[in-house]
Amino acid sequence: MPPSEKAAGALRTIGELAQEIGRPQHILRYWETRFPQLRPLTRAGNRRYYRPDDVALVRRIHHLLADEGYTIRGVQKLLADEKAASRRAPRNSAQAFTAIRDALIKALDEDGG
């Protein structure tokens, strides 16, 4: 069954993923050394199986490098900055609404309202 016919949540082998993005397998192995976020499952014989999140990350890395013109270092920085921003973001919608409410109250107080 070709990779495109697999279920969305199915694991992909390195060969299937490499063929899907049009890059050789050794490039994916290299990316694993450069992007700590990319950690496929490894089984006996060091066979790699990419989870859906890994597949999405590989597609994104490939897009940034091939289509957007980023360098490896640029993609590393972008991913690190996004991770840092997500740590600063409120954890749930209740916290987000509280933060917005507090900011509005502060703005109104400063405005004299």
Side-chain angles (χ1 to χ4, degrees), residues 11 42 54 80 87:
L11 298 177
T42 53
D54 297 321
R87 276 190 251 133

Side-chain angles (χ1 to χ4, degrees), residues 28-85:
L28 295 178
R29 288 190 290 272
Y30 172 72
W31 288 353
E32 290 173 25
T33 68
R34 295 292 168 234
F35 302 102
Q37 306 89 335
L38 183 58
R39 290 288 165 238
L41 297 172
T42 53
R43 296 286 188 243
N46 208 24
R47 286 180 294 206
R48 290 165 169 80
Y49 293 97
Y50 292 84
R51 296 169 285 232
D53 288 345
D54 297 321
V55 171
L57 180 58
V58 165
R59 287 177 182 153
R60 183 155 186 240
I61 291 169
H62 178 260
H63 170 74
L64 291 169
L65 292 170
D67 301 331
E68 299 293 325
Y70 278 81
T71 62
I72 292 283
R73 189 169 302 220
V75 175
Q76 288 170 330
K77 182 173 177 3
L78 179 70
L79 295 176
D81 290 348
E82 287 175 356
K83 184 176 180 182

